């Protein structure tokens, strides 16, 4: 009896081995779905990997000595060809506005959709907003002037507008203070420090945020004393003439929220198109070293993104938007900011890596951190809490802006702003890691 039982077990084992994906018991691997790994995301350029010295300069007018030369290796990544424009950021604020409106309308079925097939199983049958039904710029919500149920739904949005003494007579305006984006992310720094603690939980490493996303348009007044910038306050973010100008008045925290939303937006479309998980992108702000490496355009120890040591080209034309002389803002072709595709791009095809607006990086500003950084993809990060010292809230900004002198346009020069501060001269662009070694191979 025991012999028959043993033979039965052996028979079942052989059947499983022959019918499974392991062939004749050989190791064949469990591969992820293959895809073409050579697509460059819309509006981005590919930055190849490289080994190069970063930092250092023949000028240090501030005597900061915060950028000593260091030989580093940088992995491949994608980078936005331009700074994020007003129109691109407005897509984000409109999305937040419409999402809040749909929630206030009681989750109406005409704007909802249930994913089908594998996507439905992945999300547990939950319904999601069908943005095609919402229409461009929320047209089906904000312009709905129907009767009965439709009119009742529109009246439910009254809470989104300024009211009482906050409202101007005869005008119905969205209360932009209510446009908040809520999201959660896994903090890799916290996880790296505590994940081996047997008492720790995954929730200990998840950071949760609720960020007001609308740009601070008043920066055009608050950044300057006794300066007539009222037209910029009223028109810069919303007038169509500035659609392709870089968004400003956005804090580091808002830029990070935008990056998260952009990732979710892309992954939602990727899921609908049944793209494999490993083909989807994660957007973020660039590290300080990534920004400088990309700004050099593949050239070694160049002073400016255009490669040469001079601020003017051979025809005597200024090559960026900055402040070339005392009280002179117009000689470069722009008094304030200019369009995101102004001037010539660098050798990687990146526009305005110097001048126009300074740009946020994800790197925390700490002059003493440089000697401690690794020579492979170096970066120093720290996300300050609300009650932390203001010195812990400093984030590196790069590139110089329309109001800065030429010194700050140098590739190696870094300054800082506080992560919860908005400025009329600070914007941003995103990067995404390339999932491989080199797109060219």
């Amino acid at each position: 009896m025991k012999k028959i039982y043993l033979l039965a077990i052996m028979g079942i084992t052989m059947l499983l081995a022959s019918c499974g994906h392991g062939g004749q018991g050989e190791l064949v691997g469990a591969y992820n779905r293959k895809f073409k790994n050579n697509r460059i995301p819309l509006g981005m350029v590919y930055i190849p990997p490289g080994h190069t010295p970063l930092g250092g300069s023949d000028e240090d007018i501030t005597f900061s000595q915060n950028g000593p030369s260091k030989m580093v290796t940088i992995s491949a990544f994608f980078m936005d060809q331009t700074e994020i424009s007003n129109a691109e950021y407005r897509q984000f604020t409109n999305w937040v506005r419409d999402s809040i409106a749909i929630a206030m309308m009681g989750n109406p079925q005409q704007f909802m959709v249930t994913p089908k097939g594998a996507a439905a199983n992945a999300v547990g049958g939950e319904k999601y907003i069908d943005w095609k039904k919402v229409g461009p710029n929320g047209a089906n919500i904000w312009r709905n002037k129907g009767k009965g149920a439709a009119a009742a739904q529109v009246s439910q949005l009254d809470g989104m507008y300024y009211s009482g003494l906050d409202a101007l007579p005869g005008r119905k305006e969205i209360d932009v203070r209510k446009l908040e984006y809520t999201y959660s992310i896994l903090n890799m720094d916290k996880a790296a420090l505590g994940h081996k603690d047997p008492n720790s939980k995954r929730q200990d490493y998840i950071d949760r945020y609720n960020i007001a996303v609308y740009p601070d348009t008043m920066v055009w007044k608050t950044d300057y004393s006794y300066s007539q910038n009222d037209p910029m306050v009223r028109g810069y973010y919303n007038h169509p003439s500035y659609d392709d100008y870089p968004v400003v008045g956005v804090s580091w925290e808002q830029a990070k929220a935008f990056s998260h939303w952009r990732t979710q937006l892309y992954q939602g479309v990727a899921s609908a198109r049944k793209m494999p998980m490993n083909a989807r992108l994660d957007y973020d702000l660039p590290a300080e070293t990534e920004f400088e490496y990309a700004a050099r355009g593949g050239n070694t120890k160049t002073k400016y993104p255009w490669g040469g040591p001079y601020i003017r080209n051979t025809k005597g034309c200024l090559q960026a938007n900055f402040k070339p002389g005392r009280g002179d803002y117009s000689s470069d072709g722009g008094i304030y900011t200019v369009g995101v595709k102004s001037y010539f791009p660098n050798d990687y095809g990146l526009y305005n890596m110097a001048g126009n607006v300074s740009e946020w990086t994800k790197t925390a500003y700490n002059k003493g951190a440089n000697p401690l950084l690794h020579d492979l993809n170096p970066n120093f990060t720290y996300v300050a809490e609300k009650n932390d010292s203001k010195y812990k809230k400093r984030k590196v900004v790069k590139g110089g802006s329309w109001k800065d002198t030429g010194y700050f346009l140098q590739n190696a020069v870094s300054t800082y702003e506080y992560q919860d501060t908005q400025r009329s001269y600070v914007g941003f662009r995103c990067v995404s890691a390339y999932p491989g070694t080199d797109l060219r191979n």
Side-chain angles (χ1 to χ4, degrees):
M1 189 67 174
K2 290 183 178 179
K3 188 174 183 178
I4 296 174
Y5 180 70
L6 179 61
L7 288 172
I9 293 176
M10 290 177 64
I12 294 172
T13 304
M14 292 175 66
L15 180 63
L16 291 174
S18 61
C19 295
H21 296 287
Q24 300 301 316
E26 303 291 345
L27 184 65
V28 296
Y31 289 92
N32 290 319
R33 178 180 165 189
K34 293 183 179 180
F35 66 97
K36 292 184 178 180
N37 198 17
N38 58 359
R39 177 182 174 273
I40 298 177
L42 180 66
M44 304 189 96
V45 299
Y46 173 70
I47 310 299
H51 171 245
T52 183
L54 296 181
S57 174
D58 58 357
E59 288 185 67
D60 189 12
I61 63 174
T62 61
F63 299 100
S64 63
Q65 296 183 343
N66 63 352
S69 184
K70 186 181 186 73
M71 189 68 71
V72 301
T73 296
I74 304 293
S75 299
F77 60 98
F78 300 113
M79 189 175 212
D80 281 330
Q81 189 177 32
T82 68
E83 300 136 339
I84 296 298
S85 68
N86 282 321
E88 290 170 329
Y89 193 83
R90 195 180 305 126
Q91 183 182 353
F92 174 39
T93 56
N94 285 355
W95 187 97
V96 173
R97 177 201 66 187
D98 296 345
S99 297
I100 295 172
I102 288 173
M104 292 180 67
M105 292 168 69
N107 203 13
Q109 296 302 311
Q110 68 264 32
F111 295 128
M112 307 303 290
V113 63
T114 302
K116 298 179 180 179
N121 295 331
V123 299
E126 290 184 45
K127 291 188 175 183
Y128 286 86
I129 298 170
D130 184 348
W131 290 98
K132 292 181 181 179
K133 294 181 179 180
V134 174
N137 299 316
N140 294 335
I141 298 175
W142 306 105
R143 299 176 189 175
N144 189 349
K145 298 180 180 179
K147 299 179 180 180
Q153 287 181 338
V154 173
S155 67
Q156 291 174 6
L157 299 180
D158 288 345
M160 290 195 68
Y161 296 93
Y162 289 110
S163 60
L165 296 177
D166 284 341
L168 291 172
R171 297 178 65 175
K172 195 171 185 179
E173 301 170 293
I174 296 288
D175 186 347
V176 296
R177 297 170 298 184
K178 297 182 178 180
L179 304 186
E180 295 185 338
Y181 180 71
T182 301
Y183 71 103
S184 302
I185 59 171
L186 181 65
N187 188 316
M188 296 294 187
D189 292 330
K190 291 181 180 178
L193 290 174
H195 74 288
K196 290 187 177 180
D197 182 351
N199 297 318
S200 67
K201 299 178 181 178
R202 192 170 189 265
Q203 65 188 27
D204 298 334
Y205 316 130
I206 296 177
D207 291 338
R208 295 173 172 83
Y209 300 98
N210 193 36
I211 304 297
V213 299
Y214 202 83
D216 182 4
T217 58
M218 287 300 296
V219 292
W220 294 104
K221 292 286 288 184
T222 56
D223 282 347
Y224 311 97
S225 299
Y226 306 108
S227 182
Q228 172 54 22
N229 290 326
D230 294 37
M232 299 296 283
V233 174
R234 288 191 291 265
Y236 185 78
Y237 184 59
N238 287 303
H239 196 282
S241 295
Y242 295 107
D243 276 352
D244 291 323
Y245 282 54
V247 67
V248 297
V250 173
S251 69
W252 182 88
E253 294 168 346
Q254 290 173 311
K256 291 286 285 186
F258 174 92
S259 300
H260 182 274
W261 165 81
R262 186 177 179 184
T263 299
Q264 299 303 112
L265 179 71
Y266 182 88
Q267 291 184 352
V269 174
S271 177
R273 294 178 180 174
K274 298 182 179 180
M275 294 171 61
M277 285 296 295
N278 51 347
R280 304 176 190 180
L281 300 175
D282 289 310
Y283 295 97
D284 201 354
L285 297 177
E288 176 185 8
T289 49
E290 287 178 321
F291 190 97
E292 182 178 338
Y293 176 73
R296 294 184 184 277
N299 302 306
T300 302
K301 298 302 291 182
T302 52
K303 189 172 182 179
Y304 299 106
W306 45 87
Y310 304 112
I311 210 80
R312 296 178 183 269
N313 62 20
T314 55
K315 295 182 179 180
C317 300
L318 293 166
Q319 303 195 74
N321 179 23
F322 68 110
K323 183 180 177 183
R326 185 174 299 176
D328 180 6
Y329 293 91
S330 60
S331 294
D332 49 37
I335 295 179
Y336 296 101
T337 59
V338 293
V340 295
K341 282 194 173 181
S342 301
Y343 308 99
F344 291 107
N346 73 353
D347 288 349
Y348 280 152
L350 298 167
Y351 288 87
N352 292 303
M353 291 298 282
N356 212 22
V357 290
S358 297
E359 299 184 31
W360 289 113
T361 72
K362 64 183 176 185
T363 303
Y365 183 85
N366 186 328
K367 293 195 294 183
N370 189 275
L372 306 176
L373 297 178
H374 203 281
D375 56 4
L376 174 59
N377 296 319
N379 187 42
F380 174 70
T381 57
Y382 179 80
V383 180
E385 303 292 339
K386 184 176 181 180
N387 296 323
D388 277 343
S389 162
K390 67 176 184 178
Y391 297 106
K392 292 184 177 181
K393 296 181 179 181
R394 296 185 296 182
K395 295 292 182 288
V396 172
V397 295
K398 296 283 289 183
S401 75
W402 60 270
K403 71 161 194 65
D404 292 322
T405 59
Y407 166 77
F408 295 97
L409 273 60
Q410 294 180 84
N411 294 322
V413 172
S414 300
T415 55
Y416 69 86
E417 287 290 346
Y418 300 102
Q419 67 182 49
D420 54 359
T421 299
Q422 296 112 322
R423 296 294 188 188
S424 62
Y425 45 85
V426 179
F428 70 101
R429 73 181 78 202
C430 297
V431 297
S432 182
Y434 172 72
T437 301
D438 194 339
L439 181 145
R440 301 169 296 185
N441 296 335

